Amino acid sequence: EAQVTQNPRYLITVTGKKLTVTCSQNMNHEYMSWYRQDPGLGLRQIYYSMNVEVTDKGDVPEGYKVSRKEKRNFPLILESPSPNQTSLYFCASSIRAGENTEAFFGQGTRLTVV
Amino acid sequence: SQKIEQNSEALNIQEGKTATLTCNYTNYSPAYLQWYRQDPGRGPVFLLLIRENEKEKRKERLKVTFDTTLKQSLFHITASQPADSATYLCALSNYGGSQGNLIFGKGTKLSVKP
């Protein structure tokens, strides 16, 4: 089954404790991205990757890092989480950037930073 | 600045009626526009894509129009059902943008009452 898988689904952590949210897709997609979704603000892009070893900042990159060492994986790293990073996070992938194709989203990761 | 607006935060309609959702944008030249459905706590799911040179697209009970002069897309659900209750997001990709990123509106929450 074609899918984007995020882990964990739920995470509660403390301020400053590094964490990684994993994202994996099995569709051989070149383009992957991370979004956060907050009430009243909608989906905002954090980082994206056009292909392996190619990543760039989205609209709200502060406090986040990503890597793309393999085509299928695109982990989101919070080196020192803060309470304002409490949010619902989504990973998405599509065949290529700039193509008129749909984005496939993961099931989401609800992160709480206390 | 670039903006995508979905005019209503919430729309309540009676079962069997046609739901019409609006997406307006400014300062974009989108190559295409997409509509997604999102259920609470879950990732968005792709519904329809319409290209800049298409006026209308249909899929079962769904219809999307795209007016590049008005900078507006309308999303219609005919013969609506309670199961159609969800948040609907429009998304644009900038024409010729190097990123090819999808930019999302904040969504319209549709409630269909029996």
Side-chain angles (χ1 to χ4, degrees):
Chain A
E1 181 191 352
Q3 59 186 2
V4 178
T5 303
Q6 294 177 229
N7 279 297
R9 291 291 312 277
Y10 301 92
L11 179 60
I12 301 174
T13 191
V14 296
T15 299
K17 185 177 180 183
K18 179 179 179 179
L19 67 91
T20 300
V21 183
T22 63
C23 174
S24 180
Q25 50 92 6
N26 62 359
M27 296 168 279
N28 202 37
H29 285 171
E30 290 184 1
Y31 185 84
M32 297 184 75
S33 60
W34 276 102
Y35 292 85
R36 62 178 287 174
Q37 188 172 38
D38 302 287
L41 297 177
L43 278 165
R44 294 180 293 167
Q45 191 178 56
I46 303 169
Y47 269 93
Y48 65 93
S49 170
M50 306 274 276
N51 213 326
V52 176
E53 301 292 0
V54 181
T55 64
D56 209 344
K57 297 176 181 178
D59 296 321
V60 289
E62 294 77 21
Y64 305 95
K65 282 174 59 177
V66 293
S67 69
R68 188 92 182 273
K69 295 186 172 61
E70 309 162 279
K71 200 170 190 178
R72 62 183 293 127
N73 296 323
F74 189 45
L76 179 69
I77 303 154
L78 284 72
E79 295 270 3
S80 182
S82 62
N84 65 11
Q85 292 178 298
T86 292
S87 187
L88 180 57
Y89 291 85
F90 290 103
C91 178
S93 74
S94 54
I95 293 174
R96 275 177 293 279
E99 297 271 340
N100 52 2
T101 58
E102 67 187 275
F104 291 81
F105 282 82
Q107 66 272 55
T109 296
R110 188 169 292 280
L111 172 66
T112 302
V113 183
V114 298
Chain B
S1 65
Q2 297 173 327
K3 227 189 240 187
I4 300 175
E5 285 184 349
Q6 293 189 244
N7 285 5
S8 302
E9 281 192 20
L11 180 63
N12 299 312
I13 65 167
Q14 207 66 34
E15 182 176 8
K17 300 292 186 187
T18 295
T20 299
L21 284 63
T22 305
C23 178
N24 294 294
Y25 59 92
T26 57
N27 297 328
Y28 282 108
S29 297
Y32 57 91
L33 186 147
Q34 301 183 15
W35 283 88
Y36 288 76
R37 169 184 173 137
Q38 186 176 23
D39 292 288
R42 305 188 71 123
V45 175
F46 172 80
L47 295 174
L48 278 169
L49 179 151
I50 186 165
R51 296 176 180 80
E52 60 176 338
N53 59 352
E54 296 176 318
K55 295 292 184 196
E56 182 180 297
K57 203 82 169 276
R58 291 177 185 260
K59 179 183 175 182
E60 296 171 354
R61 293 184 296 111
L62 308 180
K63 184 178 88 170
V64 173
T65 63
F66 194 10
D67 189 326
T68 54
T69 302
L70 289 178
K71 296 185 182 295
Q72 182 181 80
S73 174
L74 299 178
F75 177 80
H76 306 272
I77 306 175
T78 58
S80 59
Q81 304 165 1
D84 294 326
S85 298
T87 295
Y88 292 86
L89 307 171
C90 70
L92 302 179
S93 176
N94 248 355
Y95 183 76
S98 59
Q99 298 175 14
N101 287 338
L102 276 181
I103 315 296
F104 284 86
K106 293 179 183 177
T108 296
K109 184 175 181 180
L110 175 66
S111 296
V112 182
K113 306 293 184 193

